[in-house]
Amino acid sequence: MDTMNEQFISLWDYITGPELWLTVGTGILRIIIILLLAVIIVRVSKKVVNRLFVNRGRGPIRITERRENTLKKLIKSVVAYVVYFIAFIMILDNVLGFEIGPLLAGAGVAGLAIGFGAQNLVRDIISGFFIIFEDQFSVGDYVAIAGIEGTVEEIGLRTTQVLSWTGEMNVLPNGVVTQVTNYSVHNGLSIVDINIPYESNVADAERIINEVAATLPEKHDFIVGVPEIIGVQNLEVSHFVIRVIADTLPGFQWAGERNIRREVQDQLYKEGIEIPAPRVVMYNRDDKETFLEQNREREQ
């Protein structure tokens, strides 16, 4: 009984004594200092990265703006992960007194075992590395990936975020990116088919279209060069089709098509060429022989 009392008194003295609280206070202070330094380093590194890319135009290595935005976000994320990981290791080693060597060795063995069951994660990271390394697409590009179309908001080593034009944010694992259609690399091509009724003359219709096409580059900055008439594309039941193509800035091919249709249709209507409508030609039975005779004469 006396021994238990002595142990309790010793424990109470240790708990209420200054040594424990001095040790705890020192440990908390060290943790705060380490975390504060980590936050400062991350913020400073972000500013340094921004400054480096601001001065990129003065150096010998030139990169596009789209690739610049991708690399900036990726470098900032990697630096933050590394700094916070180092801070976590320092807290375990210097403050809490854990043996880091055996801990890291155990983590390595555990990581090897987990790796066999985390093949999708490894595939996502490897795919993300090659997406960035090969510059398949960058932040700000309009792309079609795995049935999703939209603007790339962020590219990470594991996932890619694509914002649809209707506002949905799609988060795609990089491992599913097996085929990419990037609309932002080269100029787009607007393809417009214009229906003209058979009552109108082809030459007149093409003249009106050419007059309108000559004014489009001045009205719309995203149309590069004067749209070109390819010719009569199809002969339909009630009309023939004239195809027009135009080069546009990357990603603006759909806007180019809409504006070309609007401008051409307005001018065609003013010139008396209306939109063709379906029609039905009827013959009286009494006129059947006359009609057949006319066809035979045409064939001869």
Side-chain angles (χ1 to χ4, degrees), residues 186-210:
H186 302 291
N187 283 347
L189 182 67
S190 296
I191 302 176
V192 179
D193 289 336
I194 303 171
N195 299 332
I196 305 296
Y198 283 119
E199 292 81 2
S200 300
N201 185 271
V202 176
D204 292 339
E206 290 184 345
R207 175 183 57 80
I208 296 172
I209 294 173
N210 279 324

PDB file of all heavy atoms in Angstrom, residues 186-210:
ATOM      1  N   HIS A 186      -4.300  23.601 -82.826  1.00  0.00           N
ATOM      2  CA  HIS A 186      -4.239  24.183 -84.167  1.00  0.00           C
ATOM      3  C   HIS A 186      -5.518  24.962 -84.458  1.00  0.00           C
ATOM      4  O   HIS A 186      -6.511  24.841 -83.735  1.00  0.00           O
ATOM      5  CB  HIS A 186      -4.041  23.085 -85.221  1.00  0.00           C
ATOM      6  CG  HIS A 186      -2.805  22.271 -85.019  1.00  0.00           C
ATOM      7  ND1 HIS A 186      -1.542  22.791 -85.191  1.00  0.00           N
ATOM      8  CD2 HIS A 186      -2.631  20.975 -84.642  1.00  0.00           C
ATOM      9  CE1 HIS A 186      -0.642  21.859 -84.950  1.00  0.00           C
ATOM     10  NE2 HIS A 186      -1.280  20.747 -84.600  1.00  0.00           N
ATOM     11  N   ASN A 187      -5.483  25.723 -85.546  1.00  0.00           N
ATOM     12  CA  ASN A 187      -6.667  26.471 -85.954  1.00  0.00           C
ATOM     13  C   ASN A 187      -7.832  25.526 -86.241  1.00  0.00           C
ATOM     14  O   ASN A 187      -7.636  24.413 -86.728  1.00  0.00           O
ATOM     15  CB  ASN A 187      -6.370  27.295 -87.209  1.00  0.00           C
ATOM     16  CG  ASN A 187      -5.564  28.539 -86.892  1.00  0.00           C
ATOM     17  OD1 ASN A 187      -5.423  28.930 -85.729  1.00  0.00           O
ATOM     18  ND2 ASN A 187      -5.024  29.179 -87.918  1.00  0.00           N
ATOM     19  N   GLY A 188      -9.041  25.999 -85.931  1.00  0.00           N
ATOM     20  CA  GLY A 188     -10.227  25.215 -86.220  1.00  0.00           C
ATOM     21  C   GLY A 188     -10.705  25.447 -87.642  1.00  0.00           C
ATOM     22  O   GLY A 188     -10.265  26.383 -88.330  1.00  0.00           O
ATOM     23  N   LEU A 189     -11.599  24.588 -88.100  1.00  0.00           N
ATOM     24  CA  LEU A 189     -12.156  24.701 -89.441  1.00  0.00           C
ATOM     25  C   LEU A 189     -13.672  24.704 -89.335  1.00  0.00           C
ATOM     26  O   LEU A 189     -14.281  23.720 -88.900  1.00  0.00           O
ATOM     27  CB  LEU A 189     -11.692  23.539 -90.323  1.00  0.00           C
ATOM     28  CG  LEU A 189     -12.174  23.583 -91.779  1.00  0.00           C
ATOM     29  CD1 LEU A 189     -11.543  24.765 -92.503  1.00  0.00           C
ATOM     30  CD2 LEU A 189     -11.846  22.271 -92.493  1.00  0.00           C
ATOM     31  N   SER A 190     -14.268  25.811 -89.741  1.00  0.00           N
ATOM     32  CA  SER A 190     -15.730  25.909 -89.782  1.00  0.00           C
ATOM     33  C   SER A 190     -16.220  25.378 -91.119  1.00  0.00           C
ATOM     34  O   SER A 190     -15.722  25.785 -92.183  1.00  0.00           O
ATOM     35  CB  SER A 190     -16.181  27.360 -89.599  1.00  0.00           C
ATOM     36  OG  SER A 190     -15.827  27.851 -88.325  1.00  0.00           O
ATOM     37  N   ILE A 191     -17.181  24.467 -91.081  1.00  0.00           N
ATOM     38  CA  ILE A 191     -17.761  23.876 -92.295  1.00  0.00           C
ATOM     39  C   ILE A 191     -19.253  24.188 -92.294  1.00  0.00           C
ATOM     40  O   ILE A 191     -19.986  23.753 -91.395  1.00  0.00           O
ATOM     41  CB  ILE A 191     -17.524  22.360 -92.347  1.00  0.00           C
ATOM     42  CG1 ILE A 191     -16.021  22.054 -92.288  1.00  0.00           C
ATOM     43  CG2 ILE A 191     -18.145  21.771 -93.606  1.00  0.00           C
ATOM     44  CD1 ILE A 191     -15.711  20.579 -92.230  1.00  0.00           C
ATOM     45  N   VAL A 192     -19.700  24.947 -93.299  1.00  0.00           N
ATOM     46  CA  VAL A 192     -21.089  25.395 -93.359  1.00  0.00           C
ATOM     47  C   VAL A 192     -21.695  24.964 -94.697  1.00  0.00           C
ATOM     48  O   VAL A 192     -21.140  25.277 -95.760  1.00  0.00           O
ATOM     49  CB  VAL A 192     -21.192  26.926 -93.196  1.00  0.00           C
ATOM     50  CG1 VAL A 192     -22.648  27.371 -93.279  1.00  0.00           C
ATOM     51  CG2 VAL A 192     -20.573  27.368 -91.878  1.00  0.00           C
ATOM     52  N   ASP A 193     -22.803  24.246 -94.631  1.00  0.00           N
ATOM     53  CA  ASP A 193     -23.550  23.863 -95.828  1.00  0.00           C
ATOM     54  C   ASP A 193     -24.767  24.780 -95.959  1.00  0.00           C
ATOM     55  O   ASP A 193     -25.585  24.873 -95.033  1.00  0.00           O
ATOM     56  CB  ASP A 193     -24.000  22.408 -95.735  1.00  0.00           C
ATOM     57  CG  ASP A 193     -22.836  21.439 -95.882  1.00  0.00           C
ATOM     58  OD1 ASP A 193     -21.823  21.826 -96.492  1.00  0.00           O
ATOM     59  OD2 ASP A 193     -22.939  20.298 -95.380  1.00  0.00           O
ATOM     60  N   ILE A 194     -24.876  25.449 -97.107  1.00  0.00           N
ATOM     61  CA  ILE A 194     -25.943  26.415 -97.347  1.00  0.00           C
ATOM     62  C   ILE A 194     -26.886  25.859 -98.395  1.00  0.00           C
ATOM     63  O   ILE A 194     -26.466  25.511 -99.513  1.00  0.00           O
ATOM     64  CB  ILE A 194     -25.355  27.760 -97.810  1.00  0.00           C
ATOM     65  CG1 ILE A 194     -24.361  28.283 -96.755  1.00  0.00           C
ATOM     66  CG2 ILE A 194     -26.459  28.777 -98.071  1.00  0.00           C
ATOM     67  CD1 ILE A 194     -23.575  29.486 -97.207  1.00  0.00           C
ATOM     68  N   ASN A 195     -28.150  25.764 -98.048  1.00  0.00           N
ATOM     69  CA  ASN A 195     -29.157  25.211 -98.953  1.00  0.00           C
ATOM     70  C   ASN A 195     -29.717  26.318 -99.846  1.00  0.00           C
ATOM     71  O   ASN A 195     -30.200  27.341 -99.355  1.00  0.00           O
ATOM     72  CB  ASN A 195     -30.287  24.562 -98.156  1.00  0.00           C
ATOM     73  CG  ASN A 195     -29.804  23.408 -97.300  1.00  0.00           C
ATOM     74  OD1 ASN A 195     -28.810  22.752 -97.633  1.00  0.00           O
ATOM     75  ND2 ASN A 195     -30.485  23.166 -96.189  1.00  0.00           N
ATOM     76  N   ILE A 196     -29.684  26.079-101.157  1.00  0.00           N
ATOM     77  CA  ILE A 196     -30.173  27.055-102.147  1.00  0.00           C
ATOM     78  C   ILE A 196     -31.252  26.377-102.988  1.00  0.00           C
ATOM     79  O   ILE A 196     -31.037  25.275-103.508  1.00  0.00           O
ATOM     80  CB  ILE A 196     -29.026  27.540-103.058  1.00  0.00           C
ATOM     81  CG1 ILE A 196     -27.867  28.090-102.218  1.00  0.00           C
ATOM     82  CG2 ILE A 196     -29.537  28.584-104.045  1.00  0.00           C
ATOM     83  CD1 ILE A 196     -28.210  29.325-101.416  1.00  0.00           C
ATOM     84  N   PRO A 197     -32.418  27.003-103.167  1.00  0.00           N
ATOM     85  CA  PRO A 197     -33.480  26.385-103.982  1.00  0.00           C
ATOM     86  C   PRO A 197     -33.063  26.303-105.448  1.00  0.00           C
ATOM     87  O   PRO A 197     -32.267  27.112-105.936  1.00  0.00           O
ATOM     88  CB  PRO A 197     -34.667  27.318-103.772  1.00  0.00           C
ATOM     89  CG  PRO A 197     -34.080  28.620-103.363  1.00  0.00           C
ATOM     90  CD  PRO A 197     -32.849  28.297-102.589  1.00  0.00           C
ATOM     91  N   TYR A 198     -33.622  25.317-106.159  1.00  0.00           N
ATOM     92  CA  TYR A 198     -33.265  25.114-107.559  1.00  0.00           C
ATOM     93  C   TYR A 198     -33.695  26.291-108.444  1.00  0.00           C
ATOM     94  O   TYR A 198     -33.165  26.474-109.541  1.00  0.00           O
ATOM     95  CB  TYR A 198     -33.887  23.822-108.092  1.00  0.00           C
ATOM     96  CG  TYR A 198     -33.166  22.581-107.635  1.00  0.00           C
ATOM     97  CD1 TYR A 198     -33.833  21.618-106.878  1.00  0.00           C
ATOM     98  CD2 TYR A 198     -31.839  22.361-107.961  1.00  0.00           C
ATOM     99  CE1 TYR A 198     -33.179  20.475-106.458  1.00  0.00           C
ATOM    100  CE2 TYR A 198     -31.177  21.219-107.547  1.00  0.00           C
ATOM    101  CZ  TYR A 198     -31.847  20.278-106.790  1.00  0.00           C
ATOM    102  OH  TYR A 198     -31.190  19.149-106.377  1.00  0.00           O
ATOM    103  N   GLU A 199     -34.655  27.084-107.977  1.00  0.00           N
ATOM    104  CA  GLU A 199     -35.082  28.229-108.771  1.00  0.00           C
ATOM    105  C   GLU A 199     -33.997  29.302-108.870  1.00  0.00           C
ATOM    106  O   GLU A 199     -34.036  30.166-109.747  1.00  0.00           O
ATOM    107  CB  GLU A 199     -36.344  28.849-108.175  1.00  0.00           C
ATOM    108  CG  GLU A 199     -37.587  27.983-108.286  1.00  0.00           C
ATOM    109  CD  GLU A 199     -37.654  26.928-107.200  1.00  0.00           C
ATOM    110  OE1 GLU A 199     -36.748  26.911-106.345  1.00  0.00           O
ATOM    111  OE2 GLU A 199     -38.604  26.129-107.216  1.00  0.00           O
ATOM    112  N   SER A 200     -33.024  29.254-107.981  1.00  0.00           N
ATOM    113  CA  SER A 200     -31.964  30.262-107.970  1.00  0.00           C
ATOM    114  C   SER A 200     -30.773  29.773-108.782  1.00  0.00           C
ATOM    115  O   SER A 200     -30.521  28.571-108.921  1.00  0.00           O
ATOM    116  CB  SER A 200     -31.529  30.556-106.529  1.00  0.00           C
ATOM    117  OG  SER A 200     -32.618  31.032-105.770  1.00  0.00           O
ATOM    118  N   ASN A 201     -30.010  30.726-109.254  1.00  0.00           N
ATOM    119  CA  ASN A 201     -28.840  30.422-110.068  1.00  0.00           C
ATOM    120  C   ASN A 201     -27.629  30.188-109.172  1.00  0.00           C
ATOM    121  O   ASN A 201     -27.422  30.891-108.187  1.00  0.00           O
ATOM    122  CB  ASN A 201     -28.576  31.577-111.034  1.00  0.00           C
ATOM    123  CG  ASN A 201     -27.443  31.267-111.983  1.00  0.00           C
ATOM    124  OD1 ASN A 201     -26.283  31.534-111.681  1.00  0.00           O
ATOM    125  ND2 ASN A 201     -27.780  30.698-113.145  1.00  0.00           N
ATOM    126  N   VAL A 202     -26.811  29.187-109.516  1.00  0.00           N
ATOM    127  CA  VAL A 202     -25.633  28.867-108.703  1.00  0.00           C
ATOM    128  C   VAL A 202     -24.658  30.038-108.675  1.00  0.00           C
ATOM    129  O   VAL A 202     -24.123  30.397-107.615  1.00  0.00           O
ATOM    130  CB  VAL A 202     -24.937  27.592-109.242  1.00  0.00           C
ATOM    131  CG1 VAL A 202     -23.659  27.323-108.462  1.00  0.00           C
ATOM    132  CG2 VAL A 202     -25.873  26.407-109.171  1.00  0.00           C
ATOM    133  N   ALA A 203     -24.435  30.644-109.819  1.00  0.00           N
ATOM    134  CA  ALA A 203     -23.480  31.751-109.887  1.00  0.00           C
ATOM    135  C   ALA A 203     -23.928  32.930-109.033  1.00  0.00           C
ATOM    136  O   ALA A 203     -23.109  33.555-108.348  1.00  0.00           O
ATOM    137  CB  ALA A 203     -23.289  32.183-111.340  1.00  0.00           C
ATOM    138  N   ASP A 204     -25.221  33.234-109.045  1.00  0.00           N
ATOM    139  CA  ASP A 204     -25.725  34.341-108.220  1.00  0.00           C
ATOM    140  C   ASP A 204     -25.564  34.040-106.735  1.00  0.00           C
ATOM    141  O   ASP A 204     -25.161  34.910-105.944  1.00  0.00           O
ATOM    142  CB  ASP A 204     -27.199  34.604-108.549  1.00  0.00           C
ATOM    143  CG  ASP A 204     -27.406  35.167-109.951  1.00  0.00           C
ATOM    144  OD1 ASP A 204     -26.426  35.724-110.498  1.00  0.00           O
ATOM    145  OD2 ASP A 204     -28.517  35.032-110.495  1.00  0.00           O
ATOM    146  N   ALA A 205     -25.874  32.831-106.352  1.00  0.00           N
ATOM    147  CA  ALA A 205     -25.741  32.459-104.943  1.00  0.00           C
ATOM    148  C   ALA A 205     -24.284  32.525-104.499  1.00  0.00           C
ATOM    149  O   ALA A 205     -23.968  33.047-103.416  1.00  0.00           O
ATOM    150  CB  ALA A 205     -26.307  31.056-104.721  1.00  0.00           C
ATOM    151  N   GLU A 206     -23.369  32.022-105.327  1.00  0.00           N
ATOM    152  CA  GLU A 206     -21.952  32.072-104.957  1.00  0.00           C
ATOM    153  C   GLU A 206     -21.440  33.501-104.914  1.00  0.00           C
ATOM    154  O   GLU A 206     -20.594  33.834-104.069  1.00  0.00           O
ATOM    155  CB  GLU A 206     -21.143  31.245-105.958  1.00  0.00           C
ATOM    156  CG  GLU A 206     -21.383  29.743-105.828  1.00  0.00           C
ATOM    157  CD  GLU A 206     -20.500  28.945-106.760  1.00  0.00           C
ATOM    158  OE1 GLU A 206     -19.925  29.563-107.696  1.00  0.00           O
ATOM    159  OE2 GLU A 206     -20.379  27.723-106.569  1.00  0.00           O
ATOM    160  N   ARG A 207     -21.928  34.368-105.798  1.00  0.00           N
ATOM    161  CA  ARG A 207     -21.508  35.777-105.756  1.00  0.00           C
ATOM    162  C   ARG A 207     -21.919  36.431-104.435  1.00  0.00           C
ATOM    163  O   ARG A 207     -21.121  37.132-103.809  1.00  0.00           O
ATOM    164  CB  ARG A 207     -22.143  36.519-106.936  1.00  0.00           C
ATOM    165  CG  ARG A 207     -21.871  38.032-106.918  1.00  0.00           C
ATOM    166  CD  ARG A 207     -22.590  38.709-108.070  1.00  0.00           C
ATOM    167  NE  ARG A 207     -24.037  38.452-108.034  1.00  0.00           N
ATOM    168  CZ  ARG A 207     -24.887  39.102-107.240  1.00  0.00           C
ATOM    169  NH1 ARG A 207     -24.442  40.044-106.399  1.00  0.00           N
ATOM    170  NH2 ARG A 207     -26.182  38.830-107.276  1.00  0.00           N
ATOM    171  N   ILE A 208     -23.156  36.192-104.009  1.00  0.00           N
ATOM    172  CA  ILE A 208     -23.637  36.786-102.757  1.00  0.00           C
ATOM    173  C   ILE A 208     -22.837  36.241-101.571  1.00  0.00           C
ATOM    174  O   ILE A 208     -22.437  36.994-100.667  1.00  0.00           O
ATOM    175  CB  ILE A 208     -25.136  36.485-102.574  1.00  0.00           C
ATOM    176  CG1 ILE A 208     -25.940  37.166-103.689  1.00  0.00           C
ATOM    177  CG2 ILE A 208     -25.613  36.949-101.214  1.00  0.00           C
ATOM    178  CD1 ILE A 208     -27.400  36.766-103.714  1.00  0.00           C
ATOM    179  N   ILE A 209     -22.579  34.946-101.581  1.00  0.00           N
ATOM    180  CA  ILE A 209     -21.821  34.340-100.475  1.00  0.00           C
ATOM    181  C   ILE A 209     -20.407  34.905-100.420  1.00  0.00           C
ATOM    182  O   ILE A 209     -19.872  35.195 -99.339  1.00  0.00           O
ATOM    183  CB  ILE A 209     -21.811  32.804-100.629  1.00  0.00           C
ATOM    184  CG1 ILE A 209     -23.225  32.246-100.454  1.00  0.00           C
ATOM    185  CG2 ILE A 209     -20.867  32.172 -99.609  1.00  0.00           C
ATOM    186  CD1 ILE A 209     -23.344  30.763-100.763  1.00  0.00           C
ATOM    187  N   ASN A 210     -19.781  35.070-101.588  1.00  0.00           N
ATOM    188  CA  ASN A 210     -18.419  35.628-101.604  1.00  0.00           C
ATOM    189  C   ASN A 210     -18.398  37.066-101.089  1.00  0.00           C
ATOM    190  O   ASN A 210     -17.452  37.470-100.396  1.00  0.00           O
ATOM    191  CB  ASN A 210     -17.853  35.576-103.026  1.00  0.00           C
ATOM    192  CG  ASN A 210     -17.311  34.206-103.381  1.00  0.00           C
ATOM    193  OD1 ASN A 210     -16.752  33.516-102.535  1.00  0.00           O
ATOM    194  ND2 ASN A 210     -17.471  33.805-104.641  1.00  0.00           N
TER     195      ASN A 210
END
